[in-house]
Amino acid sequence: MQPVKLFSKGIVTGFRRGLRNQTVTTSLVKIEGVESKADVDFYLGKRVAYIYRAQKKRKNKITKRETKLRVIWGKVRRAHGSSGAVRCAFRTNLPPKAIGATVRVMMYPSR
């Protein structure tokens, strides 16, 4: 039996912006293997996870273990341009250190 792919890799390329203003509520993500606007259609509405390491340990709500890993969840909203980049909205805005970092684009929910 083949292993099931649960997520695709993506890279945060920055925030949505104009010439002088940037909108930090919308992050731009380049998903691995997505090269056109037509390819983006599959990923619309999918969950995005930015996983980072914090300084202090905190108890995980599910596993009840202490861990330094934290997650900011988001969602793919729409395409950005014609080269396969997407706009994502996260529950809390991504920090600037997230630019260039990897995110997981989950294969759920399915439409």
Side-chain angles (χ1 to χ4, degrees):
M1 193 165 107
Q2 289 284 338
V4 179
K5 187 176 177 184
L6 293 178
F7 63 88
S8 279
K9 212 163 94 171
I11 295 174
V12 179
T13 56
F15 300 110
R16 182 174 176 227
R17 58 172 297 155
L19 186 62
R20 290 170 186 87
N21 303 321
Q22 80 176 5
T23 311
V24 293
T25 55
T26 307
S27 302
L28 304 178
V29 175
K30 184 75 177 107
I31 303 171
E32 204 174 63
V34 179
E35 302 300 325
S36 69
K37 207 174 218 179
D39 298 343
V40 168
D41 192 47
F42 170 78
Y43 289 97
L44 296 179
K46 298 282 190 263
R47 293 245 169 253
V48 183
Y50 169 64
I51 301 168
Y52 64 101
R53 193 173 299 276
Q55 282 190 328
K56 292 189 175 181
K57 286 187 174 184
R58 188 185 281 173
K59 191 173 275 192
N60 186 309
K61 292 174 185 168
I62 298 163
T63 62
K64 306 293 188 234
R65 286 195 220 123
E66 292 214 340
T67 178
K68 287 185 175 183
L69 293 176
R70 310 264 170 90
V71 180
I72 299 176
W73 286 98
K75 193 182 279 189
V76 176
R77 293 296 190 193
R78 58 175 291 184
H80 181 80
S82 57
S83 63
V86 295
R87 295 181 194 172
C88 298
F90 287 84
R91 285 190 188 152
T92 60
N93 298 340
L94 288 185
K97 73 171 187 175
I99 297 173
T102 58
V103 292
R104 291 181 179 185
V105 182
M106 302 299 178
M107 292 297 151
Y108 55 83
S110 61
R111 293 187 298 131

